[in-house]
Amino acid sequence: MISKSLFFLFIQPLVLLIEFIFTNMSRVFGNHGVAIIMVSVVINLLILPLYKRSDAMQEQERLKQREMEKWVKHIRKTFRGDERFMMLSTYYRQQNYHPINAMRGSLSLFLQVPFFIAAYHYLSNVDLQGSSFLFLPNLGEADHLIKIAGLSLNLMPILMTGINCISGVIYTKGFPLKDKLQLYILAGLFLIVLYQSPSGLVLYWTMNNLFSLLKNIVMKIISPLLKTDANQNKKRKVVVPSPKIFWTGALLLAVLMGLTIPASVISASPAEFISLNAYRNPLILVWLTVCVALGVFVVWGGILYYVSSDAAKKALEKIICLLAFIGLADYMIYGNRTGTVSPLLTYHEGLNLVMKTAIQNLVVIAVLTAVVLILWKYEKIWQTVLLVFSISLFGLGMWNVVQAQKELTDMDYIRTISEDTEATEVSPILTLSKTGKNVVVFMLDRAISDYFPYIMAEKPELSEQFSGFVYYPNTISFGQYTIYASAAIFGGYEYTPSAMNERSDVPAVDKQNEALKVLPVLFDDMGYDVTVCDPPLAGYKEVSDLSIYDEYPDIDTHITMGAYLGDDQKYVRRLQDGQERNFFLYSLMKVAPVIGQKFIYDDGTYFEATKNNSQSPAFMESYTVLSNLSALTDISEDSEGGFVMIDNEAPHEPCLMQMPEYEPADNVNNGAYEDISRFTLDGRTMKMSNSFQLQHYHVNMASYLQIGKWLDYLKENDVYDNTRIIIVADHGRVLRQFDDLNVSEELDVEGYHPILLVKDFDADVYASSDEFMTNADVPTLALEGLLDHPVNPFTGNPINDTAKREGNLLITTADDFDQNPGNTLNTECGVWYRMVGDNLFDKSSWEKAE
């Protein structure tokens, strides 16, 4: 962890800068070779003042040593041991010189090392395979351009070294031999290190050496010829820097972007940043982001400030002060308007620019800038204000860190689950009887009902695989999020949001847990082999708390999501690497002016050149469960009946799949398969105006295709006819894809339109029914014909659909994700709608409730 922290402190800021330039230049010029050259040019131009100042400091050091050389030699020749040391120390003190100043002579070398490491790290990992440039056939491999007697030699490293040596000859003219040797040895080392490297990386360093050569020609040969006495004797205005302003401004930005913003994100939901397959404390992400922010503003910003002239230092002080105040204002005023983020710091709904807000933000920035510049003479006040804000932000950030750690301590069971998950092999856990009757309740989180007819039309073979199922398109849920809509699926109408809130004397978490236990307990009492997998929000935890079933030893419980990645562990590593990279850039977006946030967000890539446009790690954690369903199924000859209750979130994690099979791929390219006409069916068009909508369709399709394979497996093993299967979603998604579902600005019924598919015993023909249903009908459907007059084992109330038949159904548009809501769900943040008809497609059936 120490080496990683140092890397993020010194190197990661440079890597991000290189990646930003490379990605944008690749997009502009469409060629990786040109992009690499532009990276070299831009980087060298950016750090030219740094090199110029370091060269001046080196020259100053050489002149000072030359001035002292006579007496230093005399002292070294005359005295020995401690006496020599004391005499040299006294002489250096008299000359206002410290031996550590000798390091200035190697300043240019020290500056090159981190840039070399950053470029080497980035260009060695970016995908350059197959990219050609001029005479270089493949930038992802060594060039092998020279062929001699069957041997291949690499031309670019030799060319790079030649340019480096010529540049060194010009630069070290008049230097001592030791300084010349230093540069030539360094050139030789670069030749050895880079000789077998990809030609793209060598091209970058060759361009650096060429830039250095041109710089040396200008500064060492041309510039002295142009100097005049007038220029040399020209008086400069005396400027006194105020270093404390710079350092307090840099500290504020580092604390804000490195600690405060990341800690607030993680403390909101720590569990979302945990992978069951590779557990680590998500607060590590905060620490690494602190390292990057300190690296950007304190380390590299400090280096720039240190080597700058007094006039430049004064300018940097104003710039850092303005950036600090503007960034703070942007985050505090506009930072919470952008929606819900994923574990990869991307927005589910994308990031949209509101021009009115952007203009207001520009006005705020203009006012802040004017105030700072007009009152700049009160430097001590600005210094104090910056320090106070820094301390306050540090306190806020640490408060969030402590709160997150407290929640993580309460979720220590996740670590145990993670350790078990890492060792999980695919083995049968879902018990189904070959002789008795089985019931399966399969919740597909966010599976959108409206997609199903289009999916069936595109993949006609699904009709055969889903034979016996009845599709209910006229089905509603009672909320648009799991916390509001999942309990009713498993507990019935007693667990709709309005009904749960009527029982205000019982904690909401207890009601959620009750709902999740209703069916398992009833089927357990009937003698079924009961298996429960990933009960949603059990214990109101992101990772299901299976301990709610501890008092029922015969109920078999499992966490499946993330347990069967196998060779797909790379997706977890990709997630963690992406989080480490993205958090600082997310903070940068948050403190940026509103008009620039969309540019930094870059459709969720944050300028990542190598970002795969395919499946997300979270999707793979659920998808691998679906793809292993057959192997997870235990078909028993002895069991009297099996009940399986499982939740899967594959449809909840939108991403693109590779068509036509709709399978995961590292790089998705569907250009040959995309046909927009397939989204019009029986005159009803499903809008696909953005990638987010298409991603939802893809993951829904992929889920049904894998379930279809499992259904084939059940048929092949003679456990299909004796199995009742209910596939249901807790809710849909507000995507505005269907005009007939847009009831109002507040209500897009697509968000409350869950899939409901029911296959009864011995059913063998696929059909569709317009009967009005809700997902709270699931317990009644599951128990029908198996238990007379079923009763909720926790409340004693009958399980039936009386509430639906009485026609007083309340649906909430609330969107509070707080998983510690107390005794009642927060519905005040939304609007209640009453279903007054029995056709959700009829807008008159929806009535706003008072």
Side-chain angles (χ1 to χ4, degrees):
M1 191 61 190
I2 293 177
S3 61
K4 192 166 194 173
S5 298
L6 291 174
F7 181 90
F8 273 68
L9 181 65
F10 293 103
I11 308 300
Q12 184 69 2
L14 305 181
V15 172
L16 294 176
L17 176 61
I18 290 171
E19 185 171 31
F20 170 79
I21 300 168
F22 179 84
T23 301
N24 283 283
M25 293 300 101
S26 293
R27 293 174 182 175
V28 171
F29 295 103
N31 184 279
H32 286 341
V34 177
I36 290 171
I37 292 174
M38 293 305 298
V39 168
S40 176
V41 171
V42 174
I43 290 289
N44 277 286
L45 288 175
L46 287 175
I47 64 176
L48 183 59
L50 216 59
Y51 277 123
K52 187 176 179 181
R53 181 61 176 163
S54 69
D55 287 345
M57 293 172 72
Q58 286 177 286
E59 183 64 23
Q60 183 183 356
E61 172 62 22
R62 280 189 288 271
L63 291 174
K64 187 67 175 178
Q65 288 191 6
R66 195 176 300 163
E67 178 186 326
M68 299 186 303
E69 184 177 14
K70 177 182 176 181
W71 281 102
V72 169
K73 283 183 178 180
H74 175 72
I75 292 172
R76 291 184 186 277
K77 182 178 179 181
T78 307
F79 301 97
R80 294 287 185 272
D82 290 342
E83 192 176 11
R84 175 197 283 178
F85 175 78
M86 294 299 294
M87 292 297 292
L88 280 173
S89 297
T90 301
Y91 179 66
Y92 287 149
R93 188 166 57 254
Q94 291 173 346
Q95 296 296 316
N96 295 318
Y97 180 81
H98 195 285
I100 200 172
N101 291 350
M103 298 292 289
R104 291 178 177 178
S106 302
L107 189 57
S108 291
L109 173 61
F110 292 147
L111 284 174
Q112 286 186 55
V113 171
F115 280 94
F116 171 75
I117 295 174
Y120 190 90
H121 174 81
Y122 180 70
L123 294 174
S124 295
N125 289 286
V126 74
D127 185 14
L128 297 175
Q129 282 294 331
S131 298
S132 62
F133 177 67
L134 297 179
F135 53 84
L136 299 174
N138 189 347
L139 295 175
E141 296 179 356
D143 59 75
H144 304 301
L145 288 174
I146 302 176
K147 309 288 184 181
I148 301 176
L151 296 176
S152 294
L153 298 178
N154 299 323
L155 173 63
M156 288 299 294
I158 298 171
L159 181 63
M160 173 195 73
T161 306
I163 295 173
N164 202 1
C165 290
I166 295 171
S167 177
V169 169
I170 298 172
Y171 181 73
T172 60
K173 184 179 179 181
F175 283 19
L177 180 61
K178 66 173 186 176
D179 290 342
K180 293 183 179 183
L181 284 176
Q182 185 184 73
L183 287 177
Y184 297 142
I185 291 172
L186 183 63
L189 287 175
F190 274 116
L191 174 63
I192 295 170
V193 171
L194 295 177
Y195 185 76
Q196 293 292 350
S197 296
S199 56
L201 176 60
V202 184
L203 174 64
Y204 170 78
W205 212 252
T206 302
M207 291 305 301
N208 276 7
N209 291 343
L210 183 60
F211 189 93
S212 180
L213 173 61
L214 295 174
K215 181 192 70 167
N216 290 337
I217 291 173
V218 171
M219 296 182 68
K220 295 289 185 177
I221 299 176
I222 299 176
S223 184
L225 299 176
L226 300 178
K227 284 185 177 179
T228 64
D229 292 338
N231 289 332
Q232 293 176 352
N233 297 327
K234 186 177 180 180
K235 291 185 178 181
R236 296 181 180 178
K237 183 179 178 181
V238 177
V239 177
V240 180
S242 303
K244 290 182 180 179
I245 288 185
F246 177 84
W247 293 115
T248 51
L251 179 63
L252 188 151
L253 285 168
V255 171
L256 175 62
M257 296 175 63
L259 175 64
T260 308
I261 296 175
S264 70
V265 174
I266 296 219
S267 65
S269 184
E272 288 193 41
F273 295 90
I274 296 174
S275 173
L276 288 180
N277 274 82
Y279 180 89
R280 68 172 180 182
N281 190 316
L283 291 176
I284 289 174
L285 295 169
V286 177
W287 168 246
L288 292 177
T289 311
V290 167
C291 290
V292 177
L294 286 172
V296 171
F297 298 109
V298 177
V299 175
W300 288 104
I303 291 173
L304 178 62
Y305 184 79
Y306 175 72
V307 302
S308 296
S309 64
D310 288 346
K313 285 180 179 178
K314 205 67 183 174
L316 287 173
E317 291 162 12
K318 291 181 180 179
I319 291 171
I320 202 78
C321 186
L322 283 171
L323 289 177
F325 285 124
I326 291 170
L328 184 60
D330 287 342
Y331 175 64
M332 300 301 291
I333 300 174
Y334 303 97
N336 297 319
R337 63 170 191 86
T338 40
T340 307
V341 295
S342 74
L344 267 176
L345 290 311
T346 58
Y347 291 101
H348 294 306
E349 299 84 3
L351 184 65
N352 296 315
L353 173 65
V354 179
M355 189 54 65
K356 182 179 179 181
T357 304
I359 293 173
Q360 291 174 348
N361 176 241
L362 290 176
V363 172
V364 171
I365 292 172
V367 171
L368 274 174
T369 303
V371 170
V372 170
L373 295 180
I374 291 171
L375 302 178
W376 182 252
K377 60 182 178 180
Y378 303 106
E379 292 181 354
K380 289 188 177 180
I381 294 178
W382 293 122
Q383 176 188 322
T384 303
V385 171
L386 288 169
L387 184 60
V388 169
F389 274 126
S390 297
I391 295 172
S392 301
L393 290 170
F394 180 80
L396 177 61
M398 291 307 299
W399 168 262
N400 283 325
V401 166
V402 170
Q403 296 306 307
Q405 186 56 50
K406 284 182 180 179
E407 189 169 342
L408 288 166
T409 302
D410 293 339
M411 295 189 298
D412 197 52
Y413 71 97
I414 296 178
R415 186 191 297 271
T416 303
I417 293 173
S418 176
E419 292 171 354
D420 295 338
T421 298
E422 288 177 7
T424 301
E425 295 182 357
V426 180
S427 58
I429 58 172
L430 310 176
T431 302
L432 296 179
S433 171
K434 202 162 189 175
T435 55
K437 289 187 175 181
N438 306 300
V439 176
V440 177
V441 175
F442 207 133
M443 175 178 145
L444 285 178
D445 199 329
R446 200 196 282 179
I448 300 172
S449 178
D450 297 277
Y451 288 172
F452 197 69
Y454 297 86
I455 288 171
M456 296 291 279
E458 183 176 344
K459 298 290 183 182
E461 63 271 22
L462 286 175
S463 295
E464 181 60 31
Q465 290 178 314
F466 280 77
S467 60
F469 276 89
V470 176
Y471 165 53
Y472 292 94
N474 192 20
T475 301
I476 63 165
S477 64
F478 295 89
Q480 59 176 325
Y481 296 103
T482 302
I483 196 168
Y484 298 101
S486 60
I489 291 176
F490 305 103
Y493 288 92
E494 278 190 88
Y495 299 95
T496 64
S498 58
M500 288 177 70
N501 282 356
E502 287 177 5
R503 295 170 59 195
S504 58
D505 58 328
V506 180
V509 63
D510 290 348
K511 289 176 279 193
Q512 178 77 17
N513 292 344
E514 272 183 20
L516 294 172
K517 292 187 287 187
V518 167
L519 289 175
V521 169
L522 289 175
F523 277 97
D524 184 40
D525 290 343
M526 288 191 287
Y528 280 68
D529 289 316
V530 177
T531 307
V532 177
C533 299
D534 309 283
L537 292 182
Y540 269 174
K541 305 293 185 183
E542 283 288 338
V543 178
S544 304
D545 184 0
L546 301 180
S547 66
I548 70 171
Y549 298 100
D550 282 353
E551 59 185 295
Y552 307 99
D554 292 333
I555 296 178
D556 194 21
T557 59
H558 300 273
I559 297 293
T560 64
M561 286 184 283
Y564 307 108
L565 282 170
D567 293 337
D568 295 315
Q569 290 283 350
K570 62 182 178 182
Y571 297 112
V572 176
R573 292 190 293 272
R574 182 184 299 167
L575 171 64
Q576 293 183 343
D577 291 345
Q579 289 171 337
E580 292 171 2
R581 172 191 179 274
N582 287 358
F583 250 112
F584 176 77
L585 298 172
Y586 174 81
S587 295
L588 179 63
M589 179 198 67
K590 283 289 190 177
V591 302
V594 173
I595 200 166
Q597 289 179 355
K598 192 174 179 65
F599 174 73
I600 296 171
Y601 182 68
D602 193 32
D603 289 329
T605 69
Y606 297 101
F607 304 110
E608 186 178 5
T610 57
K611 185 177 180 69
N612 294 312
N613 60 337
S614 57
Q615 61 289 325
S616 70
F619 169 78
M620 291 302 300
E621 290 182 348
S622 293
Y623 178 81
T624 48
V625 177
L626 299 181
S627 63
N628 281 295
L629 278 175
S630 298
L632 293 172
T633 302
D634 179 20
I635 298 175
S636 172
E637 299 278 358
D638 303 324
S639 174
E640 294 183 5
F643 173 72
V644 174
M645 190 175 93
I646 185 170
D647 170 36
N648 189 273
E649 297 186 5
H652 190 278
E653 304 298 334
C655 54
L656 295 177
M657 311 298 290
Q658 182 57 56
M659 298 172 61
E661 296 85 4
Y662 288 91
E663 293 179 343
D666 281 342
N667 289 285
V668 170
N669 184 356
N670 288 327
Y673 302 103
E674 285 293 359
D675 179 11
I676 199 70
S677 65
R678 73 186 194 279
F679 298 127
T680 297
L681 183 65
D682 298 330
R684 187 178 188 233
T685 297
M686 175 171 57
K687 296 176 183 176
M688 286 292 172
S689 55
N690 58 60
S691 177
F692 192 59
Q693 294 170 336
L694 187 62
Q695 289 170 13
H696 273 84
Y697 180 81
H698 276 221
V699 293
N700 274 260
M701 171 70 86
S703 300
Y704 293 124
L705 290 175
Q706 293 304 315
I707 291 174
K709 294 177 181 179
W710 178 60
L711 298 178
D712 286 340
Y713 175 81
L714 298 183
K715 293 173 184 177
E716 292 167 3
N717 288 274
D718 300 322
V719 288
Y720 191 71
D721 290 340
N722 64 322
T723 301
R724 173 182 288 163
I725 304 173
I726 302 171
I727 299 174
V728 62
D730 48 349
H731 53 81
R733 188 71 171 94
V734 174
L735 295 171
R736 304 287 178 181
Q737 292 179 276
F738 300 92
D739 291 336
D740 55 353
L741 295 181
N742 282 318
V743 174
S744 67
E745 188 67 29
E746 298 165 334
L747 182 64
D748 174 16
V749 178
E750 189 177 2
Y752 310 82
H753 198 192
I755 189 68
L756 179 59
L757 295 163
V758 181
K759 188 204 79 70
D760 212 343
F761 302 116
D762 298 315
D764 59 2
V765 177
Y766 171 76
S768 178
S769 170
D770 290 330
E771 180 183 354
F772 176 60
M773 305 288 284
T774 81
N775 54 7
D777 287 321
V778 168
T780 303
L781 294 169
L783 294 164
E784 187 177 2
L786 301 177
L787 181 63
D788 293 333
H789 309 296
V791 173
N792 185 322
F794 303 102
T795 65
N797 295 323
I799 297 174
N800 54 41
D801 63 353
T802 300
K804 180 180 70 174
R805 287 185 281 106
E806 289 178 350
N808 189 29
L809 302 180
L810 291 173
I811 295 91
T812 178
T813 65
D815 58 358
D816 187 351
F817 302 101
D818 182 12
Q819 292 176 11
N820 295 290
N823 285 12
T824 58
L825 298 171
N826 178 13
T827 56
E828 294 181 1
C829 57
V831 176
W832 287 104
Y833 275 85
R834 179 178 286 106
M835 192 73 181
V836 295
D838 59 3
N839 181 4
L840 67 85
F841 299 98
D842 183 355
K843 294 182 181 181
S844 64
S845 295
W846 299 88
E847 180 182 276
K848 187 178 291 189
E850 297 296 332

